[in-house]
């Protein structure tokens, strides 16, 4: 026992003491275990076998309604106040708890399976001098592990050594930052010397001191002590969990952080229990109903006191009170008896029905064939079944870019060479034709080194190159020489390009197919096969890219000794450096660039210049001096680059397509018409994000202005935001208007709402990650929100995962609007968890986003169907259900209230007890479920045709507090009719044979029959879309009622269960009288006609959008499926910037002598010859992940 206490005491002390610094030793598990660091197992599940029942029941009874029904059940066990049998509450309560428990258990089992799948992955771990295969969950901090090509990184590792020269490794970080370009990491030389020597690695004794676990993906600080020497560690020497090893045969790493301590898991965000706005409203309404119930019971209790004092004493002769019960105690017991009788204002079947409706609408999403993606065999999936109606109330969508809006595929699409446009297909009349899969492709079989996966359709370009056109050949020669791509040729003719940027890989591959094959490079040479002839160029200099230059150049000497500078970059930059003789060609090329930009393509301009030998020698000398200078090195190099990169001759322009997913522009257009705002939060660079913005029609030429916020200080960011706001709305107040209110259960939650300012025209805002970091600070967040909400489109670039979540939280906090986040990578998990609704796309960046999402599918375009069809229908059905459910139950309960004035406030029920039990569970359950599962105001095609139908959802138009009060008033009116009309009609009436009919049992039967017919007619009036199921449920329920009534009121049931069925003969005694049926007809007409008249008047005087569309569809034919629209040719004066996601300094790495030293013969890295990597396709891998947090890394 003492050991258990000491263990828990130690555990508590560990939790209280926050880790400030991590200290670990390689290959020393006892030392590392003494610090109790987390192992590499992850856990996302909530329960285990022992904790499920208590924890789940605890969570369920935190719902106010469940606790209320438990309290009612306890009251019904007390004989003195039990006006109804205990089973009327116990059976529904157990049913609700069981259904919810089964659903929660299923969800948690799926989480356990996911955790198990990840934790049981295998990796090679160095244990006792041998490499052993271990499960990920058993890996400990301080272990040395071996990773092989295309393996996921197991934990956060310090890179020790690799198979590559200079101890480099290539990693793909798509799951962390959404970028598909490869990143380079490099080990320390002192550890890299060990290579793959197992003995050396096993005897390796090193101590690492580093920062404690945190979520900063772009920062790492630590030191490594070995052999008395201390070495500094930074982020370039660390491999993070969530990355994938690429193009590297093997590497060894030392585990620094494991499992929950890894930066990925630190960024994954906290899982919160999501509840819909309808849930929150229901909680508030239920609380109000409790208050209303208490007030009704209090009124009836006071009436009981008065009645007992004035009339009750006369009844004690034949109704004596129980011993010890006086008038005050009787009134007190009456209060609780009425709590039981009137509890149907909040029936427990409400919650059962809500869960069933949500589950049913979730199945519709799962079964929707129009959201099934056949290429990857991926159906849509509702992973959370409790949020369906929230899909009909979305106001803000936060979307990732890479893999969500785009396919992660770059394609060489078009080009302009010497003023001629290539890449388009024209028909005989000169009109542009749409390119489809059936369009004939260019045959590259003449080129044995061509990439078989490359697709191009304009045959004239291949013919021009093969005919020997000098400009066309110079164009592709430039693409084959001016880049930082690394080639690998395992077999003769099988080339694999390692491109740091997918754009650059697309251009080099295009040159390869058109006869200019980049074959190999050394630090001093580049080998190109030009039209079948091998040519070796001497590489003299690489003028590297950076964000200011927006261009890169190479200087080469041909075999003939000719010196040439080749340059490519952003058109605005290159145009400034062109020779005056190119003015005419520049004008033609600009026209082509406008067309390309209008099509959303990423453009670059190509130029060249022949150099003089003497000048080049002198320039190279100055370049050497500048590159070795200690002071002002960058400035001196920039001056030299500016000097030589002028008077260039224009060759043409390229257009690369960052392929959008199918239907993205149309989806965004539809959602915008539905008044949904879309914000793009991406880790990609600004130019790339802007290009995609134009491609998606989120950014448009006709916008009044597009504001860019890129300041590096808080003051600068504030100034740019204020300037943008003043330009959009000069009359707006300087301080934002913040409305403070209280909300939530018991009104304990304080809310602040920032109201929108009215803006004329459309604007867009583009903000960088480092600026966003300042804007999200306390003093600036409202300014950011206010300015951003004025804009039609908001794009945040270079943001980290936590910044994504912070943006979502900001909108949730101050706009009180329903948000949806959609993404496909682990870098989107925190955003998906933060939003009200999280949607995961099962795409190219793994399954982490899907596992954390509430809904998932394969293509962004399915989002419009999810929201405009399933979401809107679910919201509409839920609102109709709630209105009708409250109506029928308030009507049911108010009749009890009126009856109390005629029964001495004795808590006697007006209906038969069996009718009370079966009213919500049998007689009215299926009809309302039928309406709530099958009803639709318009079908899916009309929903797409008129996206404006969606707009009432975000405004809570269909169910709110005002409508709830109106529903109560309607119920009050109906209950008055349902009680007093039968009462007045039967007060002094007799049967047609002269016998008495006006007894309690006959009145109870008449009242409950009138009630059931009236609520059934009301449901028919609320139903827009009739199916055979609806008809069966409505008429079937009425038939069941009459069949059950005649059975229960029969002689046989009375003889068998005398005390349980006292209403013997009442049904046949009453329902064979014509006046009874006339009373039923009269009450039905008096209850229904005012509703019909009111709705008719409202539709005529102030019709809603819904009413107008439904009126229109009666006159028009069903709209056909949306036709495939050919791309519209747009001319744009906007141009993309340098379209490559390069990292500055990569040019130096390419020309490093050590980097390209001869390799030993090694087994092929690519054993699977049909993999995307081998085929030089964009590399799409499914991985688990982690997420970033600082600006410049996402």
């Amino acid at each position: 026992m003492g050991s258990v206490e000491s263990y828990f005491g130690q555990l508590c002390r560990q939790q209280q003491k926050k880790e400030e610094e991590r200290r670990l030793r390689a290959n020393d598990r006892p030392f590392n275990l003494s610090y109790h660091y987390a192992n590499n197992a992850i856990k996302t599940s909530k329960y285990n076998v022992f904790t499920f029942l208590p924890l789940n029941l605890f969570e369920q009874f935190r719902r106010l309604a469940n606790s209320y029904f438990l309290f009612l059940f306890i009251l019904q066990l007390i004989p003195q106040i039990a006006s109804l049998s205990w089973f009327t509450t116990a059976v529904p309560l157990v049913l609700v708890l069981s259904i919810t428990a089964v659903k929660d258990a299923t969800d948690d089992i799926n989480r356990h399976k996911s955790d198990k799948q990840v934790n049981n992955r295998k990796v090679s771990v160095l244990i006792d001098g041998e490499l052993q295969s271990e499960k990920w969950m058993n890996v400990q901090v301080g272990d040395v592990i071996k990773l092989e090509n295309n393996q996921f990184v197991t934990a956060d590792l310090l890179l020790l050594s690799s198979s590559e020269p200079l101890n480099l490794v290539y990693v793909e970080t798509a799951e962390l930052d959404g970028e598909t370009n490869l990143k380079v990491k490099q080990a320390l030389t002192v550890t890299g010397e060990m290579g793959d020597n197992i003995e050396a690695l096993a005897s390796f004794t090193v101590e690492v001191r580093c920062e404690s676990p945190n979520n900063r993906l772009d920062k790492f600080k630590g030191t490594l002590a070995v052999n008395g020497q201390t070495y500094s560690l930074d982020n370039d020497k660390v491999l993070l969990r969530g990355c994938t090893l690429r193009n590297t045969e093997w590497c060894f790493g030392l585990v620094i952080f494991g499992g929950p301590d890894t930066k990925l898991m630190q960024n994954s965000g906290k899982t919160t229990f999501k509840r819909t706005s309808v849930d929150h409203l229901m909680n508030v309404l239920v609380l109000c109903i409790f208050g209303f119930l208490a007030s009704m019971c209090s009124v009836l209790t006071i009436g009981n006191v008065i009645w007992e004092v004035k009339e009750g004493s006369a009844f004690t002769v034949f109704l004596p009170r129980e011993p010890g019960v006086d008038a005050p105690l009787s009134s007190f017991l009456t209060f609780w008896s009425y709590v039981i009788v009137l509890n149907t204002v909040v029936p427990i079947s409400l919650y059962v029905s809500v869960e069933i409706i949500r589950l049913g609408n979730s199945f519709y999403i799962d079964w929707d064939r129009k959201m099934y993606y056949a290429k990857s065999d991926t159906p849509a999936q509702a992973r959370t079944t409790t949020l369906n109606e929230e899909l009909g109330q979305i106001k803000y969508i936060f979307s990732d870019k890479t893999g969500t809006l785009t396919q992660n595929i770059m394609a060489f699409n078009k080009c302009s060479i010497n003023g001629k446009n290539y890449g388009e297909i024209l028909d005989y009349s000169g009109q542009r034709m749409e390119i489809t899969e059936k369009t004939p492709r260019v045959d590259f079989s003449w080129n044995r080194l061509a990439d078989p996966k490359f697709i191009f359709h304009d045959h004239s370009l291949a013919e021009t190159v093969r005919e020997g056109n000098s400009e066309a050949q110079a164009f592709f020669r430039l693409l084959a020489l001016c880049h930082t791509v690394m080639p690998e040729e395992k077999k003769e003719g099988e080339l694999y390009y390692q491109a740091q940027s997918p754009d650059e890989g697309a251009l080099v591959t295009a040159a390869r197919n058109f006869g200019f094959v980049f074959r190999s490079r050394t630090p001093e040479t580049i080998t190109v096969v030009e039209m079948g002839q091998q040519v070796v160029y001497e590489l003299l200099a690489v003028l590297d890219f950076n964000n200011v230059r927006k261009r890169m150049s190479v200087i080469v000497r041909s075999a003939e000794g000719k010196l040439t500078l080749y340059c490519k970059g952003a058109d605005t930059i290159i145009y400034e450096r062109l020779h005056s003789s190119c003015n005419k060609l520049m004008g033609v090329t600009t026209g082509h660039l406008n067309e390309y930009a209008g099509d959303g393509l990423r453009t670059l301009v190509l130029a060249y210049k022949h150099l003089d030998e003497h000048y080049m020698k002198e320039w190279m000398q100055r370049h050497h001096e500048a590159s070795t200078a200690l002071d002002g090195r960058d400035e001196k190099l920039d001056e030299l680059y500016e000097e030589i990169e002028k008077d260039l001759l224009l060759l043409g322009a390229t257009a690369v397509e960052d392929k959008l997913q199918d239907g993205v522009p149309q989806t965004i257009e539809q959602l915008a018409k539905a008044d949904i705002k879309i914000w793009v939060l991406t880790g990609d660079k600004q130019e790339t994000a802007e290009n995609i913005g134009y491609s998606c029609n989120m950014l448009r030429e006709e916008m009044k202005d597009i504001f860019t916020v890129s300041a590096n200080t808080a003051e600068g960011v504030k100034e740019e935001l204020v300037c943008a706001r003043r330009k959009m709305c000069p009359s707006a107040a300087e301080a934002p208007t913040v409305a403070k209110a209280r909300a939530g259960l018991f009104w304990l939650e304080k809310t602040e709402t920032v109201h929108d300012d009215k803006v004329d025209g459309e604007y867009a805002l583009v903000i960088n990650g480092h600026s966003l970091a300042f804007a999200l600070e306390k003093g600036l967040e409202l300014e950011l929100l206010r300015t951003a909400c004025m804009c039609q489109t908001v794009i945040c670039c270079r943001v980290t995962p936590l910044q994504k979540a912070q943006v979502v939280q900001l909108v949730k906090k101050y706009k009180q609007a329903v948000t949806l986040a959609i993404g496909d990578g682990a870098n989107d998990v925190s955003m998906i968890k933060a939003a009200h609704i999280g949607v995961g796309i099962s795409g190219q960046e793994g399954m982490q986003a899907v596992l954390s999402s509430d809904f998932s599918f394969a293509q962004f375009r399915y989002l419009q169907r999810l929201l405009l069809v399933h979401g809107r229908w679910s919201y509409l059905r839920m609102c109709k259900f709630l209105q009708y459910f409250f109506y029928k139950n308030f009507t049911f309960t108010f009749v009890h209230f009126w009856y109390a004035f005629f029964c001495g406030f004795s808590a006697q029920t007006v209906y038969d007890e069996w009718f009370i039990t079966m009213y919500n569970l049998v007689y009215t359950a299926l009809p309302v479920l039928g309406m709530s599962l099958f009803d639709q105001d318009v079908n899916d095609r009309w929903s797409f045709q008129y996206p404006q139908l969606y707009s009432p959802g975000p405004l809570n138009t269909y169910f709110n507090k005002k409508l709830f009060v109106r529903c109560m008033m309607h119920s009050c009116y109906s209950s008055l009719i349902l009680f007093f009309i039968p009462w007045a009609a039967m007060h002094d009436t007799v049967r047609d044979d002269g016998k008495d009919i006006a007894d309690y049992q006959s009145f109870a039967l008449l009242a409950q029959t009138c009630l059931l017919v009236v609520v059934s007619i009301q449901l028919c009036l609320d139903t827009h879309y009739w199916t055979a199921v609806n008809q069966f449920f409505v008429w079937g329920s009425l038939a069941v009622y009459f069949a059950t009534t005649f059975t229960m009121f029969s002689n046989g049931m009375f003889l068998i269960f005398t005390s349980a069925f006292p209403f013997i003969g009442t049904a046949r005694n009453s329902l064979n009288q014509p006046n009874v049926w006339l009373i039923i007809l009269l009450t039905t007409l008096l209850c229904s006609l005012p509703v019909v008249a009111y709705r008719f008047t409202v539709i005529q005087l102030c019709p809603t959008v819904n009413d107008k569309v439904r009126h229109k569809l009666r006159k028009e034919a069903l709209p056909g499926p949306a036709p495939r629209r050919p791309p519209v040719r747009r001319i744009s004066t906007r141009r993309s910037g340098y379209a490559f996601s390069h990292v500055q300094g990569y040019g130096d790495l390419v020309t490093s002598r050590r980097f390209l030293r001869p390799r030993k013969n090694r087994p092929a890295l690519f054993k699977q010859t049909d993999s995307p990597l081998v085929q030089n396709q964009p590399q799409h891998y499914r991985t688990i992940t982690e997420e970033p947090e600082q600006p410049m890394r996402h």
Side-chain angles (χ1 to χ4, degrees), residues 633-679:
R633 179 184 302 172
D634 292 340
E635 292 78 6
K636 291 176 181 178
L637 286 173
D638 283 341
E639 287 179 16
L640 283 171
Y641 293 168
E642 286 290 336
E643 176 190 317
I644 201 168
E645 290 175 326
K646 63 183 181 183
D647 294 333
L648 303 174
L649 299 176
L650 181 61
L651 269 176
T654 64
V656 173
E657 181 183 10
D658 185 359
K659 286 196 171 182
L660 292 174
Q661 290 191 11
D662 293 339
V664 167
Q666 293 85 346
T667 300
I668 289 174
E669 183 183 344
Q670 286 283 85
L671 295 175
K673 287 179 181 176
D675 199 26
I676 299 173
K677 293 188 176 182
I678 301 180
W679 293 19

Side-chain angles (χ1 to χ4, degrees), residues 157-169:
L157 309 176
L158 171 64
L159 181 60
L160 297 178
S161 64
S162 88
S163 59
E164 302 303 295
L166 213 62
N167 302 311
L168 295 170
V169 299

Side-chain angles (χ1 to χ4, degrees), residues 327-595:
L329 179 59
S330 174
S331 299
F332 174 76
L333 295 176
T334 299
F335 175 86
W336 295 109
S337 296
Y338 268 117
V339 168
I340 295 173
V341 171
L342 302 180
N343 80 83
T344 45
V345 287
V346 193
I348 194 166
S349 57
L350 170 69
Y351 291 93
V352 179
S353 302
V354 164
E355 293 299 325
I356 293 173
I357 292 166
R358 286 172 171 167
L359 187 63
N361 285 311
S362 297
F363 282 133
Y364 291 152
I365 295 172
D366 294 343
W367 296 337
D368 192 342
R369 292 186 178 183
K370 294 181 181 177
M371 295 172 68
Y372 169 72
Y373 191 57
K375 288 185 179 179
S376 60
D377 187 28
T378 307
Q381 188 178 9
R383 298 175 55 82
T384 303
T385 58
T386 57
L387 302 173
N388 305 69
E389 69 270 14
E390 196 96 309
L391 291 170
Q393 298 181 274
I394 303 299
K395 183 64 179 176
Y396 290 90
I397 292 176
F398 301 91
S399 175
D400 178 38
K401 180 194 75 69
T402 310
T404 303
L405 301 178
T406 63
Q407 299 182 37
N408 278 357
I409 295 175
M410 301 296 174
F412 179 79
N413 198 296
K414 296 174 185 175
C415 62
S416 171
I417 302 175
N418 196 32
K420 185 172 181 182
N421 190 11
Y422 295 95
E424 291 189 345
I425 306 296
L426 305 178
D427 59 17
Y428 295 110
S429 61
Q431 295 297 312
R432 182 188 184 197
M433 293 175 61
E434 184 183 2
I435 294 175
T436 66
E437 291 183 0
K438 296 181 180 179
T439 306
R441 301 176 180 179
V442 175
D443 180 12
F444 292 106
S445 59
W446 55 271
N447 180 359
R448 67 182 182 84
L449 292 175
D451 182 351
K453 299 295 183 182
F454 181 79
I455 298 173
F456 202 75
H457 297 91
D458 188 352
H459 295 262
S460 63
L461 180 55
E463 292 167 3
T464 302
V465 175
R466 295 186 71 185
E467 287 170 0
N469 182 285
S470 59
E471 289 84 3
Q473 293 195 350
F475 180 91
F476 286 111
R477 184 179 293 115
L478 186 152
L479 293 181
L481 293 170
C482 186
H483 55 77
T484 57
V485 171
M486 303 296 296
E488 256 190 293
E489 189 168 2
K490 296 295 186 297
K491 295 180 182 178
E492 179 70 21
E494 288 188 12
L495 276 172
Y496 313 108
Y497 290 147
Q498 300 173 11
Q500 194 208 8
S501 151
D503 319 56
E504 189 148 69
L507 293 178
V508 177
T509 301
R512 169 183 175 180
N513 277 63
F514 283 101
F516 287 77
V517 184
F518 168 54
R519 194 71 179 268
S520 64
R521 72 156 78 239
T522 70
E524 296 88 9
T525 65
I526 298 176
T527 303
V528 179
V529 177
E530 298 185 355
M531 305 307 290
Q533 300 295 318
Q534 182 164 303
V535 181
V536 179
Y537 290 87
E538 183 184 353
L539 179 61
L540 300 178
V542 175
L543 284 57
D544 203 4
F545 159 85
N546 64 36
N547 284 320
V548 177
R549 284 169 44 75
K550 293 188 178 179
R551 65 190 186 276
M552 77 163 288
S553 301
V554 295
I555 301 173
V556 297
R557 178 183 280 115
S558 67
E560 295 80 24
K562 187 183 294 184
L563 289 170
T564 310
L565 179 145
Y566 291 108
C567 181
K568 66 180 181 184
D571 54 351
T572 52
I573 302 295
I574 302 295
Y575 278 179
E576 295 171 358
R577 291 158 176 79
L578 292 180
H579 193 272
S580 57
S581 62
C582 297
N583 289 344
K584 184 178 179 180
L585 178 57
M586 185 170 70
V588 177
T589 306
T590 300
H592 294 158
L593 285 169
N594 290 341
E595 293 177 7

Side-chain angles (χ1 to χ4, degrees), residues 580-748:
S580 57
S581 62
C582 297
N583 289 344
K584 184 178 179 180
L585 178 57
M586 185 170 70
V588 177
T589 306
T590 300
H592 294 158
L593 285 169
N594 290 341
E595 293 177 7
Y596 301 158
D599 289 339
L601 304 178
R602 303 166 67 159
T603 58
L604 290 174
V605 170
L606 313 185
Y608 74 102
K609 172 185 179 181
H610 293 303
L611 299 172
D612 176 68
E613 183 75 39
H614 177 72
Y615 169 75
M616 188 61 199
K617 281 184 180 179
E618 184 260 336
W619 185 89
M620 287 292 289
Q621 177 62 33
R622 287 188 288 141
H623 179 269
H624 176 72
E625 293 171 0
S627 61
T628 55
L630 295 177
D631 297 322
R633 179 184 302 172
D634 292 340
E635 292 78 6
K636 291 176 181 178
L637 286 173
D638 283 341
E639 287 179 16
L640 283 171
Y641 293 168
E642 286 290 336
E643 176 190 317
I644 201 168
E645 290 175 326
K646 63 183 181 183
D647 294 333
L648 303 174
L649 299 176
L650 181 61
L651 269 176
T654 64
V656 173
E657 181 183 10
D658 185 359
K659 286 196 171 182
L660 292 174
Q661 290 191 11
D662 293 339
V664 167
Q666 293 85 346
T667 300
I668 289 174
E669 183 183 344
Q670 286 283 85
L671 295 175
K673 287 179 181 176
D675 199 26
I676 299 173
K677 293 188 176 182
I678 301 180
W679 293 19
V680 175
L681 310 178
T682 176
D684 223 329
K685 58 185 288 189
Q686 181 176 325
E687 291 90 342
T688 308
E690 286 183 6
N691 280 339
I692 295 301
Y694 280 101
S695 302
C696 297
N697 290 332
M698 296 178 68
L699 301 178
R700 294 178 293 278
E701 291 291 313
E702 54 270 22
M703 283 183 162
K704 282 193 172 182
D705 205 347
I706 298 174
F707 303 105
T708 301
V709 178
S710 56
N712 291 308
T713 63
E715 294 76 16
V717 171
K718 183 177 182 180
E719 184 179 337
E720 290 181 351
L721 288 172
V722 170
C723 181
R725 174 175 55 77
R726 288 173 178 168
K727 187 169 182 178
M728 288 187 284
C729 189
S731 59
E734 284 300 306
T737 307
V738 181
K740 297 186 177 181
R742 287 187 173 272
L745 206 57
F746 303 108
W747 289 267
L748 297 176

Side-chain angles (χ1 to χ4, degrees), residues 1107-1131:
D1107 296 327
K1108 292 175 182 176
V1109 173
R1110 294 185 68 239
H1111 177 71
K1112 192 171 184 178
L1113 67 85
R1114 290 193 185 99
K1115 298 182 177 181
E1116 296 183 10
L1118 184 69
R1124 181 180 175 86
R1125 292 185 290 181
V1128 180
R1129 166 51 56 87
R1130 296 180 294 121
I1131 304 299

Side-chain angles (χ1 to χ4, degrees), residues 97 191 315 341 443 477 502 531 651 716 808 812 877 914 1056 1069 1101 1127 1160:
L97 296 177
T191 61
F315 285 84
V341 171
D443 180 12
R477 184 179 293 115
M531 305 307 290
L651 269 176
V808 175
K812 281 176 66 177
R877 290 164 180 166
W914 284 103
I1056 300 171
N1069 183 52
L1101 298 180
K1160 301 174 184 176

